Amino acid sequence: LVDSTITENGANAVSLNGAKMTAQACTLSDNGKNAIDARASSATAATSLLKDNGVSAVSALERSRVTLIGSTVSGHPGDALVVDSSSVDVQDCDVQDNDKSAIRAHAGTVSVAGSTITRQGSAALSFEDSRAEVRSTLITSNGGPALEAVLSTVSFRDATIAEHPTDALVLDRS
């Protein structure tokens, strides 16, 4: 997909099952479920807008690999990115104004670099049994902590974490 808009559909903007997809300079907005729903798939969205979809921007399940580069993710009523037994790479993105977490991962691998995560309704990052690396990222003004981690390994390098109403980092057996 290049310079395309997928909007106002009843379910997902893009559903992938064992498939590969690249979106460049696209808008995936106002769809009934997710912008990208990936199952055992690979998806990349570069310089794209994933906004105001009915559930989440990205659902990555069943060993999927999703990469967002230079994109904006905002206005979702659920977690912006849901990762379950999959991996997500967020580079140079703005993730803002989602009702729940920016990234919720279970048994996932997460990489965030050069991004801004702000004004989420709950914890910015929520990990369970996951591995994550956060580099050169601003995490600020979220409704919960910057990080909630249970049984996870998380590293921060050159990150700025500020203006959270609770503890900044909450680690449970992590």
Side-chain angles (χ1 to χ4, degrees), residues 57-142:
V58 172
S59 177
L61 310 173
E62 301 171 16
R63 299 170 320 282
S64 290
R65 171 99 177 133
V66 176
T67 302
L68 302 179
I69 304 167
S71 294
T72 298
V73 177
S74 69
H76 296 93
D79 299 307
L81 290 85
V82 177
V83 182
D84 193 341
S85 301
S86 296
S87 64
V88 66
D89 187 6
V90 178
Q91 303 171 23
D92 303 316
C93 292
D94 289 320
V95 184
Q96 59 195 13
D97 301 314
N98 297 287
D99 288 355
K100 295 187 180 176
S101 295
I103 304 172
R104 179 171 305 276
H106 177 264
T109 302
V110 176
S111 175
V112 180
S115 296
T116 299
I117 299 173
T118 187
R119 297 184 308 275
Q120 311 307 310
S122 60
L125 305 171
S126 181
F127 303 140
E128 183 177 347
D129 193 27
S130 296
R131 298 180 59 83
E133 181 178 9
V134 180
R135 299 178 320 276
S136 304
T137 293
L138 173 65
I139 304 172
T140 185
S141 302
N142 296 288

